[in-house]
């Protein structure tokens, strides 16, 4: 649910809100590749590029088939 909220907030242009929701999603579901992926996108929107890269690497490690995580 929090990962979906993060995506919705990011699509609405609310990067800080997206990051907050995605951070919560990762805390609640640390094995969720989607949560890490949305966190990476939120951090990228905030120009927190090192944090974004770390989140994308975690997403790809959790779900190696998730091509978009590797592409970021």
């Amino acid at each position: 649910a929090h990962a979906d909220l993060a995506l919705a907030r990011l699509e609405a242009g609310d990067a800080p809100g997206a990051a907050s929701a995605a951070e919560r999603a990762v805390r609640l579901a640390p094995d969720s590749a989607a949560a890490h992926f949305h966190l990476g996108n939120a951090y990228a929107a905030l120009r927190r590029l090192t944090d974004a890269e770390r989140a994308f690497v975690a997403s790809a490690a959790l779900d190696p088939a998730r091509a978009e995580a590797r592409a970021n």
Side-chain angles (χ1 to χ4, degrees), residues 37-54:
F37 182 73
H38 295 318
L39 181 59
N41 283 326
Y43 283 158
L46 292 169
R47 300 311 225 193
R48 293 176 55 181
L49 302 182
T50 300
D51 292 328
E53 180 181 15
R54 188 176 311 118

Side-chain angles (χ1 to χ4, degrees), residues 26 29-34 36 62:
V26 167
D31 293 335
S32 169
H36 286 277
L62 290 165

